[in-house]
Amino acid sequence: MAKTMRRAFLTIDRIGGPVVHAVWLCGVIASAIALHQSQALSMNAICGWAALALPGLVGLGLSSRLNADSRRFLLTLSWVIPVFAATAAFGGALSPAAFIFLAGPAAMAAAGRRSAVIPSAITNVTAFAILGVLSLTQISAQPFSDHLLSPVPALSLAGFFAIALIFAGLRASLRLDRTRDAAKALQPVAHAFECAPAALVACDGEGKVIAASRAVRALVPGAPRNLEGLPIEGFAFGEEDSSKILQGLSQVHMSGRFTFSVRSGDGQRSPIFARSAASPEGTVLHLHGGAPDQSYIDSLKAERDEAVAANHAKSDFLASVSHELRTPLNAIIGFSDVMKSRLFGPLPARYAEYAELIHESGCHLLELIGDVLDMSKIEADRYELTLENFDARDVVETCAKLVRLRAEDKGLMLSVDTGDQDLIVNADRKAVRQILLNLLSNAVKFTPDGGAVAVMARAQGDEFVLAVGDSGVGISADEIDKLGQPYQQARSAIENGERGTGLGLSLVRALAEMHGGLMDIQSERYQGTTVTVRLPVLSGPQPNRRPDEDEDTLAVHSQIRRAQEAGQHIAQASAQASNQNKTEFDGASVVSLNQRIAS
Amino acid sequence: MKDNVDTMLQVMSKKVLIVEDNELNMKLFHDLLEAHGYETLQTREGLKALDLAREHKPDLILMDIQLPEVSGLEVTKWIKDDEDLSKIPVVAVTAFAMKGDEERIRKGGCEAYLSKPITVTSFIETVRKFLD
């Protein structure tokens, strides 16, 4: 239905202009011929009729290539100038010829939009007024005043007006139908808003209500049935609440939430919570009352219980996962341990190496499982620290030893700097070890071949500072915030094809925080990452502690840079070595290069 | 002379009852014990473990905690409640290795606790502690 209507409108839009202008042209030509037959026309009269024919020609001949505005301008002009001249010639403003002034607006109405009719009408009225004044002030000769009264021109003019009127009428009625259809199409949306099971209010930019759902009346007792056009702050209980509403509306892009009070049914103050969202017209508010009913409270309680149960289920699940993984690991680690210890006699060297590798991988897997488990314990607040005094340098050296093999396999330069003084700390040894191992294995994992990893341990003030830096892929600034949250991995890590549990850094952070310390990540994409952990766990007097505070953290960076340069040399050297002797090159030569550069 | 031989035989053939439901782990423990000269009895069920203990009076019981029907802790309780068996040391060898598990298991009557995965050295050390 709407489609047919649209097609009809388009047809009328297209043919309206040409048809009325053609009718005008035919009328003018027919009138001129008829007059010429009854009385020979003078040259002046012919010029007058020719001028009248002009708007018809212009209207038919205007190229559609011109834009709408210039077409409208040309058409208006072509209607007013010849008509002015012709009317002056045919009888002046006060003669029947004045009707011709109506032809322009009529043609515009039939051919174009309403916006084109008004300028045309104004121009023509102005022209008519000028002509009228001229007619009054100077008595001019009006030689052709009878022309328009003869039958053919009169009938032609009447016919033209009739056809223009028909087109204008069709246009108007089609436009009306279209508007009505559009309004009908919007009705379901309006109904949906009105009947929404939530108190919704749409306001314009000045805070006047555009529409409100029925539920608003239940929330704001005494609100009128039709809220349209009323200021929204009229809901408020008092002055203060009005300003809260206005402030809330103005901050729609920032917080999107505010509260205010309304007068309840018994005249009491009743709190309303509003959530707001911006709309093209202004703001849409979702209001809800402060006293939720029992069913709502019950549903919230149920949700909470469910969440608690889910949390327990998660802990139980992780615990049973741990159990199920440890069981086969017992066989893997146990049997390879038996082979390693040659319990049943000697083993060929290669098999012995494989046994070592199986044992090592098994132990690594065990560490990962430990991480998962520890995180679950930390999340359940069930992790307890066992504090003891120990030299942190031992832990650093042990951990570095554990990752050194992996680092050297990748051709990474691993440098360890624990200073020249004892680092006695009072901390959970296992936790410190876990912090370091996680940081080191991350650094090794995310640093491409030929890069560098550096670890430093120092006493600063009363803090034990651990810094692990690498020349790896780095982390972008917006991802740093996300890191350290359980199960989050940086995109760079995923791009790099490296997968982990996403637990490493969150575990480091959690363990550091349990010691009352902090973890800090400094990183730049493709430049490298330094993770610094500060633990206030130094134990006993620290002899000759240096006063300069920031020096050491900075030193880590320069050390990494040095190590990185060394790493590049190694990479180049290994590339050369592999070119020179492809068959003999192996990890060992990288290691020896490593040592050479380190020394 | 005869007494001496008897003592020697007794030392040689100290019996260890392994209660373990995972075949590979059973094999691992069996092989380890055998390599160190111990005799083994094996079962994967808690109820059978009690029968075997009554019948053979082993010198040590290695007890897995998570078992198909009755838990290892339950079996340990029965053993400790049984006058004839209560003297036999029970070593829990379990994959329950979270904090608190060891305490819970020791409270359940086990004389020692080994978490899986085991290391060969500590396993043998623990066994020796009870048998030598």
Side-chain angles (χ1 to χ4, degrees):
Chain A
M1 180 66 199
K3 228 174 188 179
T4 344
M5 195 82 78
R6 185 167 168 72
R7 207 170 300 142
F9 186 81
L10 284 175
T11 315
I12 287 170
D13 195 43
R14 209 172 50 242
I15 65 166
V19 167
V20 290
H21 285 95
V23 167
W24 175 263
L25 195 59
C26 294
V28 170
I29 293 169
S31 306
I33 291 170
L35 284 169
H36 190 62
Q37 275 164 0
S38 62
Q39 53 180 99
L41 289 176
S42 67
M43 202 55 210
N44 283 356
I46 289 171
C47 286
W49 283 103
L52 277 185
L54 201 63
L57 285 169
V58 171
L60 279 175
L62 268 183
S63 161
S64 57
R65 261 176 303 174
L66 287 172
N67 71 34
D69 279 336
S70 38
R71 249 187 307 184
R72 214 174 294 151
F73 176 73
L74 277 176
L75 209 55
T76 309
L77 214 63
S78 73
W79 271 108
V80 75
I81 295 170
V83 165
F84 184 85
T87 314
F90 289 146
L94 303 175
S95 77
F99 278 115
I100 303 175
F101 275 109
L102 293 176
M108 293 303 231
R113 288 153 183 254
R114 227 177 317 171
S115 57
V117 179
I118 293 161
S120 169
I122 292 170
T123 328
N124 282 27
V125 166
T126 317
F128 175 75
I130 294 169
L131 196 61
V133 173
L134 285 179
S135 310
L136 286 177
T137 51
Q138 80 189 76
I139 314 297
S140 59
Q142 295 164 354
F144 319 116
S145 58
D146 58 331
H147 279 191
L148 285 175
L149 293 175
S150 52
V152 177
L155 278 174
S156 300
L157 197 60
F160 168 79
F161 279 129
I163 285 167
L165 206 66
I166 287 167
F167 270 105
L170 274 176
R171 239 171 220 293
S173 87
L174 281 170
R175 193 178 293 130
L176 198 66
D177 281 347
R178 255 181 11 151
T179 315
R180 204 174 290 147
D181 282 351
K184 210 180 270 177
L186 286 175
Q187 238 169 22
V189 183
H191 286 159
F193 191 87
E194 197 184 337
C195 305
L200 300 176
V201 184
C203 312
D204 63 11
E206 287 160 12
K208 294 233 165 38
V209 176
I210 303 170
S213 69
R214 280 182 200 157
V216 171
R217 285 211 306 275
L219 206 60
V220 188
R225 189 168 282 271
N226 184 7
L227 290 164
E228 213 180 305
L230 298 176
I232 173 99
E233 65 265 30
F235 287 180
F237 183 84
E239 284 288 317
E240 194 190 334
D241 296 301
S242 309
S243 57
K244 273 188 194 166
I245 295 177
L246 292 176
Q247 195 185 357
L249 287 180
S250 66
Q251 289 177 349
V252 59
H253 291 291
M254 284 144 65
S255 74
R257 276 167 204 276
F258 61 95
T259 56
F260 61 96
S261 295
V262 297
R263 193 177 297 277
S264 68
D266 49 7
Q268 296 298 307
R269 186 182 271 273
S270 139
I272 298 282
F273 300 92
R275 291 170 63 190
S276 60
S279 79
E281 283 74 33
T283 315
V284 184
L285 298 177
H286 175 202
L287 310 178
H288 43 108
D293 53 13
Q294 194 54 41
S295 68
Y296 182 61
I297 294 173
D298 288 347
S299 75
L300 283 183
K301 273 186 183 157
E303 271 175 35
R304 187 200 56 194
D305 291 347
E306 216 170 285
V308 168
N311 202 26
H312 274 295
K314 191 175 82 177
S315 290
D316 290 351
F317 171 72
L318 287 173
S320 81
V321 163
S322 149
H323 183 274
E324 293 311 301
L325 291 175
R326 277 169 181 275
T327 301
L329 264 180
N330 187 51
I332 295 170
I333 294 177
F335 282 121
S336 54
D337 203 4
V338 170
M339 290 166 85
K340 253 179 68 179
S341 56
R342 314 284 199 282
L343 197 61
F344 297 98
L347 201 60
R350 198 167 273 257
Y351 289 149
E353 188 199 346
Y354 295 164
E356 294 254 355
L357 292 175
I358 294 170
H359 189 258
E360 196 181 295
S361 305
C363 291
H364 177 59
L365 196 50
L366 184 62
E367 272 166 30
L368 290 180
I369 296 164
D371 278 1
V372 172
L373 207 62
D374 284 337
M375 201 63 227
S376 87
K377 276 191 278 184
I378 288 171
E379 282 185 345
D381 287 332
R382 285 208 302 260
Y383 193 104
E384 276 166 33
L385 295 180
T386 316
L387 299 180
E388 55 179 316
N389 280 332
F390 60 95
D391 189 345
R393 293 194 301 173
D394 296 342
V395 179
V396 176
E397 296 290 349
T398 322
C399 292
K401 205 180 282 173
L402 282 169
V403 294
R404 187 171 291 281
L405 203 69
R406 246 185 298 160
E408 285 175 351
D409 281 348
K410 283 185 82 177
L412 298 183
M413 178 82 195
L414 175 66
S415 63
V416 183
D417 179 1
T418 52
D420 44 11
Q421 289 155 16
D422 285 352
L423 275 171
I424 307 297
V425 295
N426 182 252
D428 186 318
R429 186 194 280 266
K430 191 175 155 251
V432 173
R433 189 184 134 96
Q434 224 166 345
I435 287 175
L436 251 170
L437 274 181
N438 272 309
L439 294 181
L440 278 171
S441 67
N442 264 353
V444 169
K445 199 193 280 184
F446 296 116
T447 304
D449 296 8
V453 173
V455 51
M456 283 185 91
R458 281 290 190 285
Q460 261 183 24
D462 57 350
E463 283 179 331
F464 166 53
V465 182
L466 258 177
V468 176
D470 64 60
S471 64
V473 290
I475 312 158
S476 61
D478 55 326
E479 281 179 327
I480 288 183
D481 295 341
K482 255 197 267 169
L483 282 181
Q485 311 277 345
Y487 318 114
Q488 292 280 359
Q489 258 194 315
R491 202 179 321 117
S492 46
I494 294 157
E495 277 169 16
N496 207 32
E498 289 288 358
R499 298 253 171 187
T501 48
L503 279 176
L505 278 179
S506 49
L507 200 56
V508 170
R509 166 164 288 164
L511 291 172
E513 282 169 0
M514 287 182 76
H515 280 90
L518 287 171
M519 178 187 84
D520 179 46
I521 307 173
Q522 285 172 303
S523 184
E524 216 162 295
R525 201 83 163 86
Y526 308 115
Q527 298 294 313
T529 307
T530 302
V531 183
T532 314
V533 173
R534 295 169 176 276
L535 307 177
V537 294
L538 283 186
S539 167
Q542 295 292 317
N544 306 324
R545 194 176 294 154
R546 272 177 291 172
D548 41 355
E549 290 268 311
D550 291 328
E551 196 195 78
D552 287 336
T553 359
L554 293 172
V556 173
H557 293 292
S558 56
Q559 191 180 346
I560 289 161
R561 237 190 331 273
R562 278 200 304 275
Q564 191 178 356
E565 281 161 17
Q568 279 162 2
H569 289 307
I570 294 170
Q572 281 167 8
S574 9
Q576 280 167 10
S578 68
N579 283 341
Q580 279 167 9
N581 195 343
K582 279 190 177 155
T583 47
E584 274 185 31
F585 174 71
D586 60 9
S589 50
V590 175
V591 175
S592 64
L593 273 164
N594 238 334
Q595 284 157 352
R596 213 176 306 153
I597 286 161
S599 60
Chain B
M1 179 67 192
K2 193 174 177 289
D3 279 357
N4 274 348
V5 172
D6 271 357
T7 346
M8 258 186 77
L9 274 176
Q10 221 178 343
V11 169
M12 287 301 289
S13 61
K14 285 255 162 104
K15 269 180 293 191
V16 180
L17 169 59
I18 313 172
V19 189
E20 165 67 63
D21 68 331
N22 181 290
E23 266 178 59
L24 288 175
N25 289 332
M26 175 69 90
K27 186 172 165 49
L28 174 65
F29 299 149
H30 164 78
D31 287 3
L32 275 173
L33 292 171
E34 195 191 50
H36 288 84
Y38 300 110
E39 197 181 314
T40 64
L41 297 160
Q42 303 172 17
T43 177
R44 59 188 305 274
E45 283 164 49
L47 288 172
K48 279 227 182 97
L50 204 64
D51 295 342
L52 281 173
R54 287 208 178 102
E55 193 182 329
H56 296 276
K57 299 277 162 33
D59 302 289
L60 177 70
I61 299 174
L62 295 182
M63 183 72 73
D64 188 9
I65 299 300
Q66 174 144 310
L67 293 169
E69 276 153 31
V70 215
S71 98
L73 274 184
E74 196 82 346
V75 180
T76 308
K77 192 172 172 291
W78 294 338
I79 291 170
K80 295 296 159 192
D81 287 349
D82 190 309
E83 266 182 41
D84 294 341
L85 304 178
S86 64
K87 291 273 169 6
I88 305 174
V90 178
V91 175
V93 186
T94 174
F96 284 119
M98 294 175 80
K99 218 171 229 174
D101 282 337
E102 177 169 359
E103 204 192 351
R104 180 171 62 92
I105 286 163
R106 279 181 187 274
K107 265 190 191 157
C110 295
E111 272 78 5
Y113 164 91
L114 285 171
S115 70
K116 287 181 194 164
I118 56 145
T119 62
V120 170
T121 353
S122 66
F123 179 81
I124 291 303
E125 268 171 19
T126 310
V127 171
R128 278 205 180 123
K129 199 170 84 186
F130 289 101
L131 294 184
D132 291 354

